[in-house]
Amino acid sequence: MPELSARYNPQDVEEKRLKLWQARKPFHATAGKSAKGPFAVVIPPPNVTGVLHMGHALNNTLQDILIRYKRMQGFDAMWMPGTDHAGIATQNVVEKQIAKEGLTREALGRDKFTERLWEWKARHGDTIIDQLHKLGSSCDWDRLRFTMDEGYSEAVREVFITLHERGLIYQGSYIINWCPRCTTALADEEAEHKEASGNLWHIRYSLKDDPSRGVIVATTRPETMLGDTAVAVNPADERYVHLIGKVIILPLIGREITIIADDFVDRSFGSGAVKVTPAHDPNDFAMGRRHNLEFINIMHPNGVMNANAGQFEGLDRFEARRQIVRALDEAGMLVKIEPHMNAVRRCYRCDTVVEPYLSRQWFVKMKPLAEKALAAFHNGQLRIQPKRWEKVYENWLVDIRDWCISRQIWWGHRIPVWYDEQGNAFVARSEADAMEKAKVKHGKCVVLTQDPDVLDTWFSSWLWPFATLGWPKTGQDLKYFYPTAALFTAPEIIFFWVARMVMAGIEFMGEVPFKDVILHGTVRDAKGRKMSKSLGNAIDPLEIIGEYGADALRFSMILNSGQDIFISKEKFEIGRNFANKLWNASRFVLMGVRPGISDISHFADIDHAALDPASQWVISRYQTALVSVTEAVEQFRYSEAENTLYEFFWGTYCDWYLEMIKGRMDDINTQKAACLVLKNTLKMLHPFVPFVTEEIYSHMAGRETILTFEPWPVHEDKYAHAGAEADIGMVVAIITSIRNIRAQWNIKPNDPVECVFVGAGHALARLRLHETMIKRLVRMSKIRYEAVADGIRNSAAGVAGDVKFFIPLGDLIDIPKEKSRIMAEVAQMEKAAGAIAGRLSNEGFVSKAPAEVIEKERQRMMELKARAVDFSKALACLI
RNA sequence: GGACGCAUAGCUCAGCUGGUUAGAGCGCUGCCCUCACAUGGCAGAGGUCGAAGGUUCAAGUCCUUCUGCGUCCACCA
């Protein structure tokens, strides 16, 4: 293996690792290979239209950390990748594309348009998958699935048919959320509430018998009055009791409608009288049913008023609203306009205001499914983290409403239903099956037409954990990897996806699809806004990868992942700097170590009795870090694990340990310790920063290593020295080294030692020391000055090129620096011991605190005092 | 209208079951181009832990109320 390059270049290293991974395909998991058993994770499939954004970057980094860790633990860790066909979203994208050619989907026709969709998918569908590779995601790429691939589509049909057989799917005409732009029905979850300031228009409806009398109704959507078929009042409202049953004239239209009484009406809101539009409002729809009212649809599917709108026919709904208000005003029917805040529902795909619209759709009866999902949750079969989301999950299931699953679009799974000419529906696996059924019914062959609609995208993605494993076929993979272990996703998607997957899993597999649901935050910009293209505040992960590296992106992202993550570009510097530090520290260790040594992998291979105290100390600190990192990773607390690693590696290993062993690297045991602790730290860091760790590790091992298959380090207590002991050992190490230097350079005990150096000459050369600087060093007179001859120097000469002076600096430690560190530590310990002593003399504490707490405090104080004394002694030796 | 979350150094956040002197990164000040790393090293300034009460020997950490942000859910026209 060649040396690590002098400067860390993430692009080169990452590209190299990616090529290796692509060539060797190491991440493929086979059922039943490991004695430890399966550990499966399914990716939340990104939309095929997707382009990697920070949300994906976070989500996939989290999963990658988990799966890499589990591999290191020896599980058959399988991470299922794939994409979602994303019905409406994808159709919209392609519609926009053909619009550039002056085409519409209607003009193109269903078949041609669908062809264009598949073409688009073939060309762009793998974009996001490629990008996931760049992020370092170690998915089982051989298993890549798509929600509309053949096997998956079969699963979708099977589910539709089975649910229908079980009486859980029905067809009916109800008020649903309709997007006039997408011209399709939407599920309740797909119509998002957004606060908007609107008006409450108060309109006067006059009595037929006595036009001077009437009622005033208030509405936020005046155009719907064209479809009014009643006015309702509360039966207990004295103001209106005498009017119940009277006929009034609908303004502008002139239709005669009746005043009805219904408990639904709130007497205190508005005027206490409500216009009833059964075909355009869910409440009015219910009233319409209760009172047998007429349902008048006033709008075309695209939001344009139809013939029932009379003079307003042909107007867009909002234009109609303006004109109707004006007309009412002119007719003197408009009593007042009151500003009013209300929540308007908008299409989650195109943000168009959704219209409550009466139409015939397919629905899933959710109550029975939800009850099982709730039971599974209450039995502890499903854990949700953080816990605060549990209630959100629960409440939605408790208040669940039926799910409208048919969509009037063309991209998706065609509903497996055929109709005969009389409109009888035949639910079947194929047209042939439907024919058979029709034949049985009619006693002869009849012409059938398939339902033109497709299924909601989520009607396929709720099957993801088992459909990707081959269901409805029951193969080895399905048996082995289902149920999966954990699901990482965003809280926004609890209703759309998580809860529904639980329902489908229980319904079709008899078991929850995953044990742990971990909900992570939303990635926001520095101002807390969601990142979005339209706001122009999005930071492109690929740009960060290009500039700082995928490791840097991952590291910074996870370090910041508490709740919602506020990201600005500067934050990625932390990750970049860390990767750089890793590289350089490793390079330093490798340069000071004999060939072969760095391949060490067991603490037993070190002679601990002969080991220098600094190394004993760092091993001890390493063992502690290992325990806390492992615990944090087990609990999915990745940012905490990463933080511990950051502090251990940078603060302990680099700032203290490497400084201490500089100049003593010729000791074989020290070399071993330095290498082993570094190697194990690389292992622990690997799930977080897979590229740089694997590259360095491979150098140390002397062969290309796929680090995610190296075993996660095991805590070895016998090599962990007690904290105090190890700290003192560190002091002793420093003192020893300084004594040696004094002896070597003949410095009298009371003379201050200003500086002593470790390190080899080649680094000097690398910095291309100028003569002035060399002179300065020489003037310090504590430096020997001689020619360079050993192996290290040779390599230095190579790097140095034309540098003439080589200055071997001998052993070294910067005494004032170490002194101030130790002094600070002593001061800290003394203060801490003092504080505990104060508490121990607190009468209340002594009389009321539990004995074990008191004892623990006492012991801690004694220990701190002892350590402080030892440190002080050590200090005395230094001065 | 319901539910939840957050308020800790100038900025972004850690601080798990109450118990050492409240931490980190960035920024700032000073010194260092010292031999792995200036994507670096060392030293340092900066916090009455949103406000007010309460529980406790002990509270950033538990309870109550308030204030200010934020998120999700919701068929008051």
Coordinates of all heavy atoms in Angstrom, one line a residue, chain A residues 644-709:
Chain A
T644 N -19.6 11.8 20.8 CA -18.7 11.1 21.6 C -17.4 10.8 20.8 O -16.3 10.9 21.3 CB -19.3 9.9 22.2 OG1 -20.5 10.2 22.9 CG2 -18.4 9.2 23.2
L645 N -17.6 10.3 19.6 CA -16.5 9.9 18.8 C -15.6 11.1 18.4 O -14.4 11.0 18.4 CB -17.0 9.2 17.5 CG -17.4 7.7 17.8 CD1 -18.3 7.2 16.6 CD2 -16.2 6.8 18.0
Y646 N -16.3 12.2 18.1 CA -15.6 13.4 17.7 C -14.7 13.8 18.9 O -13.5 14.1 18.7 CB -16.7 14.5 17.5 CG -16.2 15.8 17.0 CD1 -15.9 16.0 15.7 CD2 -16.0 16.8 17.9 CE1 -15.4 17.3 15.3 CE2 -15.6 18.1 17.5 CZ -15.3 18.3 16.2 OH -14.9 19.5 15.8
E647 N -15.3 13.9 20.1 CA -14.5 14.3 21.2 C -13.4 13.3 21.5 O -12.3 13.7 21.9 CB -15.4 14.5 22.4 CG -16.0 15.9 22.4 CD -17.1 16.1 23.4 OE1 -17.3 15.3 24.3 OE2 -17.9 17.1 23.2
F648 N -13.7 12.1 21.5 CA -12.6 11.1 21.8 C -11.5 11.2 20.8 O -10.3 11.3 21.1 CB -13.2 9.6 21.8 CG -12.1 8.6 21.9 CD1 -11.4 8.5 23.0 CD2 -11.7 7.9 20.7 CE1 -10.3 7.6 23.1 CE2 -10.6 7.0 20.8 CZ -9.9 6.9 22.0
F649 N -11.8 11.2 19.5 CA -10.8 11.2 18.5 C -10.0 12.5 18.5 O -8.8 12.5 18.5 CB -11.3 10.9 17.1 CG -10.3 10.8 16.1 CD1 -9.4 9.7 16.1 CD2 -10.1 11.9 15.2 CE1 -8.3 9.7 15.2 CE2 -9.0 11.8 14.3 CZ -8.2 10.7 14.3
W650 N -10.7 13.6 18.4 CA -10.0 14.8 18.3 C -9.3 15.3 19.6 O -8.2 15.5 19.7 CB -11.0 15.9 17.8 CG -10.3 17.1 17.1 CD1 -9.2 17.8 17.6 CD2 -10.6 17.6 15.8 NE1 -8.9 18.8 16.7 CE2 -9.7 18.7 15.6 CE3 -11.6 17.4 14.9 CZ2 -9.8 19.5 14.5 CZ3 -11.6 18.2 13.7 CH2 -10.7 19.2 13.5
G651 N -10.2 15.3 20.6 CA -9.7 15.8 21.9 C -8.7 14.8 22.6 O -7.7 15.2 23.0
T652 N -9.1 13.6 22.7 CA -8.3 12.6 23.5 C -7.1 12.0 22.6 O -6.0 12.2 23.0 CB -9.2 11.5 24.0 OG1 -10.2 12.1 24.8 CG2 -8.3 10.5 24.9
Y653 N -7.5 11.5 21.5 CA -6.5 10.7 20.8 C -5.5 11.7 20.1 O -4.3 11.5 20.2 CB -7.2 9.9 19.7 CG -6.3 8.9 19.0 CD1 -5.9 7.7 19.5 CD2 -5.7 9.3 17.8 CE1 -5.1 6.8 18.9 CE2 -4.8 8.4 17.1 CZ -4.5 7.2 17.7 OH -3.6 6.4 17.0
C654 N -6.0 12.7 19.4 CA -5.1 13.6 18.7 C -4.4 14.6 19.7 O -3.2 14.7 19.8 CB -5.8 14.4 17.6 SG -6.3 13.3 16.3
D655 N -5.3 15.4 20.4 CA -4.7 16.5 21.1 C -3.8 16.1 22.3 O -2.8 16.7 22.6 CB -5.8 17.4 21.7 CG -6.5 18.2 20.6 OD1 -5.9 18.2 19.4 OD2 -7.5 18.9 20.8
W656 N -4.2 15.0 22.9 CA -3.4 14.5 24.0 C -2.5 13.4 23.7 O -1.3 13.5 23.8 CB -4.3 14.0 25.2 CG -4.9 15.1 26.0 CD1 -6.1 15.7 25.9 CD2 -4.2 15.8 27.1 NE1 -6.2 16.7 26.9 CE2 -5.1 16.8 27.6 CE3 -3.0 15.7 27.7 CZ2 -4.8 17.6 28.7 CZ3 -2.6 16.5 28.8 CH2 -3.5 17.4 29.3
Y657 N -3.1 12.3 23.2 CA -2.3 11.1 23.1 C -1.2 11.2 22.0 O 0.0 11.0 22.3 CB -3.2 9.9 22.8 CG -2.5 8.6 22.5 CD1 -1.7 8.1 23.6 CD2 -2.5 8.0 21.3 CE1 -1.0 6.9 23.3 CE2 -1.8 6.8 21.1 CZ -1.0 6.3 22.1 OH -0.3 5.1 21.9
L658 N -1.5 11.6 20.8 CA -0.5 11.7 19.8 C 0.6 12.7 20.2 O 1.8 12.5 19.9 CB -1.1 12.1 18.5 CG -2.0 11.0 17.8 CD1 -2.4 11.5 16.4 CD2 -1.3 9.7 17.7
E659 N 0.2 13.8 20.9 CA 1.2 14.7 21.3 C 2.2 14.0 22.3 O 3.4 14.3 22.3 CB 0.6 15.9 22.0 CG -0.2 16.8 21.0 CD 0.7 17.4 19.9 OE1 1.9 17.6 20.1 OE2 0.2 17.6 18.8
M660 N 1.6 13.2 23.2 CA 2.4 12.6 24.2 C 3.4 11.5 23.6 O 4.5 11.3 24.1 CB 1.5 11.9 25.3 CG 0.9 12.9 26.2 SD 0.2 12.1 27.6 CE -1.3 11.5 26.9
I661 N 2.9 10.8 22.6 CA 3.8 9.7 22.1 C 4.8 10.2 21.0 O 5.6 9.4 20.5 CB 3.0 8.5 21.6 CG1 2.1 8.9 20.4 CG2 2.2 7.9 22.7 CD1 1.7 7.7 19.7
K662 N 4.6 11.4 20.6 CA 5.6 12.0 19.7 C 7.0 11.7 20.2 O 7.3 12.1 21.4 CB 5.4 13.4 19.4 CG 4.3 13.7 18.4 CD 4.1 15.2 18.1 CE 3.1 15.4 17.0 NZ 2.7 16.8 16.8
G663 N 7.9 11.2 19.5 CA 9.2 10.9 19.9 C 9.4 9.6 20.6 O 10.5 9.2 20.9
R664 N 8.3 9.0 20.9 CA 8.5 7.6 21.6 C 7.9 6.6 20.7 O 7.5 5.5 21.1 CB 7.8 7.6 22.9 CG 8.9 7.7 24.0 CD 8.3 8.0 25.3 NE 7.6 9.2 25.3 CZ 6.4 9.4 25.9 NH1 5.9 8.4 26.6 NH2 5.9 10.6 25.9
M665 N 7.7 6.9 19.4 CA 7.1 6.0 18.5 C 8.0 4.8 18.1 O 7.6 3.9 17.4 CB 6.6 6.7 17.3 CG 5.5 7.6 17.5 SD 3.9 6.8 17.6 CE 3.6 6.5 15.8
D666 N 9.3 4.8 18.6 CA 10.1 3.7 18.3 C 9.8 2.5 19.1 O 10.3 1.4 18.8 CB 11.6 4.1 18.4 CG 11.9 4.7 19.7 OD1 10.9 5.0 20.5 OD2 13.1 4.9 20.1
D667 N 9.0 2.7 20.2 CA 8.6 1.6 21.0 C 7.6 0.8 20.3 O 6.5 1.3 19.9 CB 8.1 2.1 22.3 CG 7.7 1.0 23.3 OD1 7.0 0.0 22.9 OD2 8.1 1.1 24.5
I668 N 7.8 -0.5 20.1 CA 6.9 -1.3 19.4 C 5.6 -1.5 20.0 O 4.5 -1.5 19.3 CB 7.6 -2.7 19.2 CG1 6.9 -3.5 18.0 CG2 7.5 -3.6 20.4 CD1 7.4 -3.0 16.7
N669 N 5.5 -1.5 21.3 CA 4.2 -1.6 22.0 C 3.4 -0.3 21.8 O 2.2 -0.3 21.7 CB 4.4 -1.9 23.5 CG 4.5 -3.4 23.7 OD1 3.6 -4.1 23.3 ND2 5.7 -3.8 24.2
T670 N 4.1 0.8 21.8 CA 3.4 2.1 21.6 C 2.9 2.1 20.2 O 1.7 2.6 20.0 CB 4.4 3.3 21.8 OG1 5.0 3.1 23.1 CG2 3.7 4.6 21.7
Q671 N 3.6 1.7 19.3 CA 3.2 1.6 17.9 C 1.9 0.8 17.8 O 0.9 1.2 17.1 CB 4.2 1.0 17.0 CG 5.4 1.9 16.8 CD 6.5 1.2 15.9 OE1 6.2 0.3 15.1 NE2 7.7 1.8 15.9
K672 N 1.9 -0.4 18.4 CA 0.8 -1.3 18.4 C -0.5 -0.6 19.0 O -1.6 -0.6 18.4 CB 1.1 -2.6 19.2 CG 2.0 -3.5 18.4 CD 2.2 -4.7 19.3 CE 3.1 -5.8 18.5 NZ 3.4 -6.9 19.5
A673 N -0.2 0.0 20.2 CA -1.4 0.6 20.8 C -1.9 1.8 20.0 O -3.2 1.9 19.8 CB -0.9 1.2 22.2
A674 N -1.1 2.6 19.5 CA -1.5 3.7 18.6 C -2.3 3.2 17.5 O -3.4 3.8 17.1 CB -0.3 4.5 18.2
C675 N -1.9 2.2 16.8 CA -2.5 1.6 15.7 C -3.9 1.0 16.0 O -4.9 1.2 15.4 CB -1.7 0.6 15.0 SG -0.3 1.4 14.1
L676 N -3.9 0.2 17.1 CA -5.1 -0.5 17.4 C -6.2 0.4 17.9 O -7.3 0.2 17.4 CB -4.8 -1.6 18.5 CG -5.9 -2.5 18.8 CD1 -6.5 -3.1 17.5 CD2 -5.5 -3.7 19.7
V677 N -5.8 1.4 18.7 CA -6.9 2.3 19.1 C -7.4 3.1 17.9 O -8.6 3.3 17.7 CB -6.3 3.3 20.2 CG1 -7.4 4.4 20.4 CG2 -6.0 2.5 21.4
L678 N -6.5 3.4 17.0 CA -6.9 4.1 15.8 C -7.8 3.2 14.9 O -8.9 3.7 14.5 CB -5.7 4.6 15.0 CG -6.0 5.2 13.6 CD1 -6.8 6.5 13.8 CD2 -4.7 5.6 12.9
K679 N -7.4 2.0 14.7 CA -8.2 1.1 13.9 C -9.6 0.9 14.5 O -10.6 0.9 13.7 CB -7.5 -0.3 13.8 CG -6.5 -0.3 12.7 CD -5.9 -1.7 12.6 CE -6.7 -2.7 11.9 NZ -6.1 -4.0 11.7
N680 N -9.7 0.7 15.8 CA -11.0 0.5 16.4 C -11.8 1.8 16.3 O -13.1 1.7 16.2 CB -10.9 0.0 17.8 CG -10.5 -1.5 17.8 OD1 -10.4 -2.1 16.7 ND2 -10.3 -2.1 19.0
T681 N -11.2 2.9 16.4 CA -11.9 4.2 16.3 C -12.4 4.3 14.9 O -13.6 4.8 14.7 CB -11.0 5.4 16.7 OG1 -10.4 5.1 18.0 CG2 -11.8 6.6 16.7
L682 N -11.7 3.9 13.9 CA -12.1 4.0 12.5 C -13.3 3.1 12.4 O -14.3 3.4 11.7 CB -11.0 3.5 11.6 CG -9.8 4.5 11.4 CD1 -8.7 3.8 10.7 CD2 -10.3 5.8 10.7
K683 N -13.3 1.9 13.0 CA -14.5 1.0 12.9 C -15.7 1.7 13.5 O -16.8 1.7 12.9 CB -14.2 -0.2 13.7 CG -13.3 -1.3 13.0 CD -13.2 -2.5 13.9 CE -12.5 -3.6 13.2 NZ -12.4 -4.8 14.2
M684 N -15.6 2.3 14.6 CA -16.7 2.9 15.2 C -17.2 4.1 14.4 O -18.4 4.4 14.4 CB -16.4 3.4 16.6 CG -16.2 2.4 17.7 SD -16.2 3.0 19.3 CE -14.5 3.6 19.5
L685 N -16.3 4.7 13.7 CA -16.7 5.9 12.9 C -17.2 5.5 11.5 O -17.9 6.2 10.9 CB -15.5 6.8 12.7 CG -15.2 7.7 13.9 CD1 -13.8 8.3 13.7 CD2 -16.2 8.9 13.9
H686 N -16.9 4.2 11.2 CA -17.3 3.8 9.8 C -18.8 4.0 9.4 O -19.0 4.5 8.4 CB -16.9 2.4 9.6 CG -17.2 1.9 8.2 ND1 -18.3 1.1 7.9 CD2 -16.7 2.3 7.0 CE1 -18.4 0.9 6.6 NE2 -17.4 1.6 6.0
P687 N -19.7 3.7 10.3 CA -21.1 3.9 9.9 C -21.4 5.3 9.6 O -22.3 5.6 8.8 CB -21.9 3.4 11.1 CG -21.0 2.4 11.8 CD -19.6 2.9 11.6
F688 N -20.7 6.2 10.2 CA -21.0 7.6 10.0 C -20.2 8.2 8.8 O -20.8 9.0 8.1 CB -20.5 8.4 11.3 CG -21.2 7.9 12.5 CD1 -20.6 6.9 13.3 CD2 -22.4 8.4 12.9 CE1 -21.3 6.4 14.4 CE2 -23.1 7.9 14.1 CZ -22.5 6.9 14.8
V689 N -19.0 7.9 8.7 CA -18.2 8.4 7.6 C -17.5 7.2 6.9 O -16.3 6.9 7.1 CB -17.1 9.4 8.1 CG1 -17.7 10.8 8.4 CG2 -16.4 9.0 9.4
P690 N -18.3 6.5 6.1 CA -17.8 5.3 5.5 C -16.6 5.3 4.6 O -15.8 4.4 4.5 CB -19.0 4.7 4.8 CG -19.9 5.9 4.5 CD -19.6 6.9 5.6
F691 N -16.5 6.4 3.9 CA -15.5 6.5 2.8 C -14.1 6.6 3.4 O -13.2 5.8 3.2 CB -15.7 7.6 1.9 CG -17.0 7.5 1.1 CD1 -18.1 8.2 1.5 CD2 -17.0 6.7 -0.1 CE1 -19.3 8.1 0.7 CE2 -18.2 6.6 -0.8 CZ -19.4 7.3 -0.4
V692 N -13.9 7.7 4.2 CA -12.5 8.0 4.7 C -12.1 6.9 5.6 O -10.9 6.5 5.6 CB -12.5 9.4 5.3 CG1 -13.3 9.5 6.6 CG2 -11.0 9.8 5.5
T693 N -13.0 6.4 6.4 CA -12.6 5.3 7.4 C -12.1 4.1 6.7 O -11.1 3.5 7.0 CB -13.7 5.0 8.3 OG1 -14.9 4.7 7.6 CG2 -14.0 6.1 9.3
E694 N -12.9 3.7 5.7 CA -12.5 2.5 5.0 C -11.2 2.6 4.2 O -10.4 1.7 4.1 CB -13.7 2.1 4.0 CG -13.5 0.7 3.4 CD -14.7 0.2 2.6 OE1 -15.6 -0.2 3.2 OE2 -14.6 0.3 1.4
E695 N -11.0 3.8 3.7 CA -9.7 4.0 2.9 C -8.5 3.9 3.9 O -7.6 3.2 3.6 CB -9.8 5.4 2.3 CG -8.5 5.8 1.5 CD -8.4 5.0 0.2 OE1 -9.3 4.3 -0.2 OE2 -7.3 5.1 -0.4
I696 N -8.6 4.6 5.0 CA -7.5 4.5 6.0 C -7.3 3.1 6.5 O -6.2 2.6 6.6 CB -7.7 5.5 7.1 CG1 -7.8 6.9 6.6 CG2 -6.6 5.4 8.1 CD1 -8.3 7.9 7.6
Y697 N -8.5 2.5 6.9 CA -8.4 1.2 7.4 C -7.7 0.2 6.5 O -7.0 -0.6 6.9 CB -9.8 0.7 7.8 CG -9.9 -0.5 8.7 CD1 -10.0 -0.4 10.0 CD2 -9.8 -1.8 8.1 CE1 -10.0 -1.5 10.9 CE2 -9.9 -2.9 8.9 CZ -10.0 -2.8 10.3 OH -10.0 -3.9 11.1
S698 N -8.1 0.3 5.2 CA -7.5 -0.5 4.2 C -6.0 -0.4 4.2 O -5.2 -1.3 4.1 CB -8.1 -0.3 2.8 OG -9.4 -0.7 2.8
H699 N -5.5 0.9 4.3 CA -4.1 1.1 4.3 C -3.5 0.5 5.5 O -2.4 -0.1 5.4 CB -3.8 2.7 4.4 CG -3.7 3.3 3.1 ND1 -4.8 3.8 2.4 CD2 -2.7 3.5 2.3 CE1 -4.4 4.3 1.3 NE2 -3.1 4.1 1.2
M700 N -4.2 0.6 6.6 CA -3.6 0.0 7.9 C -3.6 -1.5 7.8 O -2.6 -2.2 8.3 CB -4.4 0.4 9.1 CG -4.3 1.9 9.3 SD -5.0 2.5 10.8 CE -3.8 2.0 12.0
A701 N -4.6 -2.1 7.2 CA -4.7 -3.5 7.1 C -3.8 -4.1 6.0 O -3.4 -5.3 6.0 CB -6.1 -4.0 6.9
G702 N -3.4 -3.2 5.1 CA -2.5 -3.6 4.1 C -3.2 -4.3 2.9 O -2.6 -5.0 2.1
R703 N -4.5 -4.2 2.9 CA -5.3 -4.8 1.8 C -6.7 -4.0 1.8 O -7.1 -3.4 2.7 CB -5.6 -6.3 2.1 CG -6.3 -6.5 3.4 CD -6.6 -7.9 3.7 NE -7.5 -8.0 4.8 CZ -7.2 -7.8 6.1 NH1 -5.9 -7.5 6.4 NH2 -8.0 -7.8 7.1
E704 N -7.3 -4.1 0.6 CA -8.6 -3.5 0.5 C -9.6 -4.2 1.4 O -9.8 -5.4 1.3 CB -9.1 -3.5 -1.0 CG -8.4 -2.6 -1.9 CD -8.5 -1.1 -1.5 OE1 -9.2 -0.8 -0.6 OE2 -7.8 -0.3 -2.2
T705 N -10.2 -3.4 2.3 CA -11.1 -4.1 3.2 C -12.5 -3.4 3.1 O -12.6 -2.2 2.9 CB -10.6 -3.8 4.7 OG1 -9.2 -4.2 4.7 CG2 -11.4 -4.5 5.7
I706 N -13.5 -4.2 3.1 CA -14.9 -3.7 3.2 C -15.2 -3.6 4.6 O -15.5 -4.6 5.3 CB -15.9 -4.6 2.4 CG1 -15.5 -4.8 1.0 CG2 -17.3 -4.0 2.5 CD1 -15.5 -3.6 0.1
L707 N -15.1 -2.4 5.1 CA -15.1 -2.2 6.6 C -16.4 -2.5 7.3 O -16.4 -2.9 8.4 CB -14.7 -0.7 6.9 CG -14.3 -0.4 8.3 CD1 -13.5 -1.4 9.0 CD2 -13.6 1.0 8.4
T708 N -17.5 -2.4 6.5 CA -18.8 -2.7 7.1 C -18.9 -4.2 7.5 O -19.8 -4.6 8.2 CB -20.0 -2.3 6.3 OG1 -21.2 -2.5 7.0 CG2 -20.0 -3.0 5.0
F709 N -18.0 -5.0 7.0 CA -18.0 -6.5 7.4 C -17.0 -6.8 8.5 O -16.8 -7.9 8.8 CB -17.8 -7.3 6.2 CG -19.0 -7.3 5.3 CD1 -19.0 -6.6 4.1 CD2 -20.2 -7.9 5.7 CE1 -20.2 -6.5 3.3 CE2 -21.4 -7.9 4.9 CZ -21.3 -7.1 3.7

